[in-house]
Amino acid sequence: MSFKKSKNDYALFTWNNGASFISLIIYRDDILITGNDERAIVALKEHLNKSFHIKDLGTPKFFLGIDIARSPTSISLSQRKYALELIFDFGLSTCKPSVVPIEQNIEVTIIEHETERQSPEEDPPLQDHTSYQRLVGHLIYLTMTQSDISYAVQILNQFMQAPKQSHMDAAIKVVKYLKGCPGVGLLLPQKGKMEISAYCDSDWGSCPMTRRSLTGFCIKLGSSLISWKAKKQATVSLSSTEAEYRVMANTTCEII
């Protein structure tokens, strides 16, 4: 049917015919279809039904852990149910919420624990690595709609192989932060300028162990946030200017 596969996400297919547009994304045996041409969408579903039996579940309200809420003027995406289940699973339903997901100097503190080789009594290694890995895995999935925890999660993700108690405490603090705002997500307005704008910044040599800089960017379509990232750069930058150029290059690649 002349659909084109996205180069950014191989599960996404798009179709254009003049002013008509259809977007189709696949996850295993689940399919989401959206577009601005109702007749073309009906024809697509009839074509799919001829190839294999499909069940039309109507307007989506929940998909892969993401709550989808609609209003006449916008669509809201959040992972409230997923976040609440995470809070319950780790026994933090009655805890006091944290105001911030991570302390300002937590990265330096955690890495100093590593370099100073503290005794096991001061910062014991976790006996069960899987609990920490499972928690961080859940938090990584939550960054799909909660960009405000991206920085904290990229720090915690660096200690998946040999986590210590300080790493687990920092991860629990992120969960406590989620308890105060489990429904925070993305708001996609129906109307607005279809213009892409991007913001980027770098933190030069922020990692005390590797001296690699941190890349951070966010990209908006109109007033809708559509892409963001907080990640250590692949190589060491010799100056703050070089670090800034690297993050600008990464942001440009993401826009393209």
Side-chain angles (χ1 to χ4, degrees), residues 127-193:
Q127 297 298 320
D128 183 13
H129 291 182
T130 58
S131 61
Y132 178 81
Q133 292 165 351
R134 186 167 64 92
L135 173 54
V136 175
H138 282 299
L139 295 175
I140 290 173
Y141 192 66
L142 274 169
T143 59
M144 289 181 60
T145 58
Q146 292 204 231
S147 59
D148 50 345
I149 64 172
S150 296
Y151 172 73
V153 172
Q154 68 88 20
I155 293 177
L156 299 173
N157 192 35
Q158 299 175 42
F159 307 99
M160 296 284 267
Q161 299 301 319
K164 294 187 176 182
Q165 187 59 48
S166 59
H167 306 144
M168 190 65 176
D169 294 341
I172 291 295
K173 185 176 181 64
V174 179
V175 181
K176 290 181 178 179
Y177 169 77
L178 292 172
K179 187 177 186 297
C181 54
V184 170
L186 303 174
L187 182 66
L188 311 176
Q190 183 182 19
K191 296 181 179 179
K193 294 182 179 180

Side-chain angles (χ1 to χ4, degrees), residues 55-121:
K55 183 178 181 181
D56 191 348
L57 300 178
T59 302
K61 297 182 179 179
F62 188 79
F63 186 72
L64 301 182
I66 299 176
D67 298 291
I68 305 170
R70 289 173 171 268
S71 75
T73 59
S74 63
I75 297 176
S76 172
L77 305 177
S78 70
Q79 291 170 282
R80 177 181 174 82
K81 183 175 181 294
Y82 188 86
L84 293 175
E85 289 175 352
L86 176 62
I87 295 167
F88 177 80
D89 288 345
F90 282 85
L92 298 172
S93 299
T94 58
C95 74
K96 182 180 179 180
S98 173
V99 179
V100 294
I102 196 167
E103 298 297 339
Q104 185 173 1
N105 297 318
I106 189 69
E107 181 180 14
V108 176
T109 303
I110 288 177
I111 293 178
E112 282 178 351
H113 288 173
E114 300 288 327
T115 55
E116 292 171 2
R117 301 186 181 277
Q118 289 186 331
S119 64
E121 291 77 15

Side-chain angles (χ1 to χ4, degrees), residues 11 27 160 171 253:
Y27 178 76
M160 296 284 267
C253 290

